[in-house]
Structures are given as structure tokens and as C-alpha cells.
Amino acid sequence: MAQEGIIMGAFCYNGKNIKLTVEGESHSVEISALIEGEPAVIDSIKVDEEKLQAFLDRRAPGKNAWSTPRKEPDKAIIERSSGLIFGKIVNTNTKPHDYSGLLKCPRPSHADYTAKLKYGESYTSSGGGSFSGRMTAPLCIAGGIALQELNKMGINIYSHIKSIGGISDTSITSISLENQDEFISDLAKVKSKEFPVVSDEAGDQMIELIKSLASELDSVGGVTETVITGVPGGVGGPLFDGIEGKIAGLMFAVPAVKGIEFGNGFEGSTLKGSENNDNFTVVDGKVKLKTNHSGGILGGISVGEAAPIVFSTAFKPTPSIAKTQATVDLDTMLETTIEIKGRHDPCIVPRAVPVTEAVAALAIWDMLLG
């Protein structure tokens, strides 16, 4: 299971019940995810490889006008051994020569400069290396397996584009709790859509914005919204054991993520307590929240049937753009300009939707295994 052609080392998430190792680079021979855990648990997992591939296909590049022209089949190869599941993808469309010179003249808002600060002259990656959005593919292998396990427990995770630029999709935060079942039903249909929004009208406007900025050699960021249903009450804990911290910690492993909020997040800081508090009520003999400003989490612990878990994730615009930008030549220490070549998404958000589902699944699954 060892890989060849990897310049940088493996990167590990040491959870409470699983260890996840992600290895590879944007233009390496292959990229991979290794899940390790208690053999009795890991060996009992039956991976539906057809469902896993369908999940990976939602993230795969080069399928439409609003994503990178780099085409990769992202075919997952799964190998098993006691206590571990290894999944890899062979990179088939690498063009490292497109990125020559970027370590000398670093891209604005990319990791070229900080990677050289940390790794020095030994850092010779092309493209984004291990900082690349390409590394979300192995994350989706692991997260796709976690999703299958959560589905068996009656837990479902749905994401969609909440906004791109100034254009917004319908949000669960704007839907009253008594009408949220219908919204979640519509949200479940997003998984089968080419452009992952609830409102196709809003989606069409977003697509036009992305195409327009791409024609200007520019990019745009946006926000995804994730809804998790079926998590039993009482999962999580105070301080370091809170659900928010577990999800956020993993979500910031995703390149381009710059912010995350649960429920109404920052907006709640502008409200009075009487406006922001989620009052309790009883519906059909079950405790419910009248509103869900808390995002279904109180004190770091899930409220169960009282409300779904809801969070939003902010993605910055793709920094690799062909428009002329100012940078410096690190050899001469003089200011210069750069026009970035290569193949990049004018907006990463549509392909990030399944990634947020995968990462949330890993966090929740790790917590429930304990």
C-alpha cells in the first residue's frame, strides 16, 4: 500500500476512535486515505463501492463549464487488512510543468510562500502540492465510507450551496421548523443535481456569475450549508468534546475554508437574548425547539429530535487566477507580476458541497464510535 512519487509526508487526523492518514499531492502518482481503528469495528464495515464511487463522482473535476478543465476519473481503489481500510486514486491528468517558477514567485493568497518558509529549499512541489484542493478527493473516500456507516444508523447529511457572490439559495434558517421536513426532502434531491442548489433559479444566476468571472480571468468564493438529521441527543460534550469543535477542526483541513458558523452564528451576536434563544415546545409528545439559532447544538451536545444540526462553511475565492497580480521574486527580492497558468476552478464551492458532507460525516462517525 506504500505510494511512490510523494514529495511531502503523510498527514494524520488522530480522532478518539479512528485515525485517518491522507497522503499525496496534486500532481503525484496517486493520492490516498487510510482509515485505522479497532479491528472489531473496522473489519465489520462493508463498503458499498458503487455508492462510494457515485459520491466521489459528485466532487470529481472537469465535468462542466464552471469547474476546472482538469479531467480525472477519480476511480477509488479499496484495499482491506485487519483494522484498516485503504483507499487510493491514481492521478491520470497531471501537468506539473504548468507550475514551474511558482516557488520563486509565489501566488498571492496561496500556500507557495508559507510552504517555503516551513520546508525551506527542500520543498519542490508543483501545483498546490499537499495544499491543493485535489486532496479533498481522498478525504471524500474516507468521508464517503463514514457516510455509509452513519446512514445505517439513520443519520443523514445534506449540503448545498448557500450563496455565491451576492446570490443566495434557499436556506434552512429561513424555513420555520414546522416546514423543515419539506425543505429537507428538497435538500435530499440536491445530491442528484449537477449544480447543487435547492432553488434552480438561484443556481442559474450563480452559474452565470461564475462564467462571467471566469471570462474575466477571475474567481469567486461562497458558502455551503450543511444539515445533519438523525443524530441522537446527548452526543458531544463541554469544552474540548463539543460537536462544533470536532466538525470545525476537521473542516479547516479543507483547502480554501476560511470560516464556519453553527446555526445563525455571527448574526446571533447582534441579537438580544430574547430574540436569539431557542424556546422549547412539545410536538406530538416530543421536545422540539421553536427556532434553531443554536444549530441543533447546546453546550457542545446534540439536541437530538428537538432540531437538526445546521452549520455553514465559507470558502475563499480560488487564489490561482490568470489575471495579472503583484508578487515578489524571492531570488532577487524585487517586486514583479505573475499570470498563473494551469487549470483551476473559477469557483470551488459547487465541488466543495460533497466535501463538507464527507468531513462532517468523519467527525460525527468518530464521536459515535465511542
Side-chain angles (χ1 to χ4, degrees), residues 19-94:
K19 177 181 178 181
L20 172 62
T21 303
V22 174
E23 189 172 4
E25 293 191 358
S26 179
H27 294 271
S28 60
V29 175
E30 61 190 46
I31 48 181
S32 65
L34 175 65
I35 301 172
E36 298 175 83
E38 198 65 42
V41 175
I42 301 300
D43 296 351
S44 68
I45 296 172
K46 292 180 172 58
V47 179
D48 186 325
E49 294 191 30
E50 186 175 335
K51 284 185 178 178
L52 178 61
Q53 192 60 52
F55 180 68
L56 291 173
D57 288 346
R58 292 172 55 202
R59 193 222 67 95
K63 297 195 298 182
N64 44 56
W66 54 84
S67 73
T68 171
R70 176 178 179 176
K71 295 182 183 293
E72 291 279 0
D74 281 0
K75 173 65 178 175
I77 301 168
I78 304 297
E79 300 175 14
R80 304 289 298 263
S81 187
S82 183
L84 62 86
I85 301 174
F86 180 79
K88 69 178 181 180
I89 293 171
V90 176
N91 284 330
T92 62
N93 192 2
T94 60

Side-chain angles (χ1 to χ4, degrees), residues 172-205:
I172 194 170
T173 58
S174 64
I175 307 294
S176 62
L177 281 179
E178 57 265 29
N179 295 322
Q180 284 191 3
D181 286 347
E182 182 179 352
F183 176 81
I184 291 172
S185 177
D186 290 338
L187 191 53
K189 299 172 185 175
V190 169
K191 294 179 186 289
S192 62
K193 292 184 177 182
E194 185 178 27
F195 197 79
V197 289
V198 176
S199 167
D200 293 330
E201 181 180 354
D204 289 342
Q205 294 176 39

Side-chain angles (χ1 to χ4, degrees), residues 129-261:
S130 292
F131 301 97
S132 171
R134 181 82 186 123
M135 299 312 297
T136 59
L139 271 178
C140 280
I141 292 178
I145 293 170
L147 276 169
Q148 291 185 20
E149 291 302 294
L150 292 180
N151 290 162
K152 295 171 187 176
M153 305 176 197
I155 297 170
N156 291 286
I157 302 180
Y158 312 101
S159 291
H160 70 113
I161 299 172
K162 186 176 183 179
S163 66
I164 288 178
I167 305 166
S168 297
D169 190 19
T170 309
S171 168
I172 194 170
T173 58
S174 64
I175 307 294
S176 62
L177 281 179
E178 57 265 29
N179 295 322
Q180 284 191 3
D181 286 347
E182 182 179 352
F183 176 81
I184 291 172
S185 177
D186 290 338
L187 191 53
K189 299 172 185 175
V190 169
K191 294 179 186 289
S192 62
K193 292 184 177 182
E194 185 178 27
F195 197 79
V197 289
V198 176
S199 167
D200 293 330
E201 181 180 354
D204 289 342
Q205 294 176 39
M206 293 176 189
I207 291 170
E208 288 307 309
L209 175 62
I210 295 170
K211 288 181 177 178
S212 173
L213 289 171
S215 69
E216 297 172 12
L217 309 181
D218 218 329
S219 63
V220 65
V223 179
T224 61
E225 180 177 66
T226 304
V227 178
I228 309 176
T229 63
V231 176
V235 176
L239 299 175
F240 309 113
D241 291 327
I243 293 178
E244 297 103 325
K246 298 294 185 183
I247 291 176
L250 273 167
M251 200 62 69
F252 280 105
V254 178
V257 169
K258 299 302 288 185
I260 186 168
E261 64 177 7

Side-chain angles (χ1 to χ4, degrees), residues 8-9 11 111-123 131:
M8 294 179 65
F11 300 89
D112 300 330
Y113 180 65
T114 50
K116 193 162 187 177
L117 289 179
K118 181 171 180 65
Y119 300 107
E121 297 304 319
S122 64
Y123 184 72
F131 301 97

Side-chain angles (χ1 to χ4, degrees), residues 260-281:
I260 186 168
E261 64 177 7
F262 292 82
N264 66 350
F266 288 101
E267 180 189 350
S269 68
T270 68
L271 303 177
K272 300 174 184 176
S274 57
E275 297 170 323
N276 192 61
N277 289 346
D278 297 318
N279 293 330
F280 290 100
T281 186

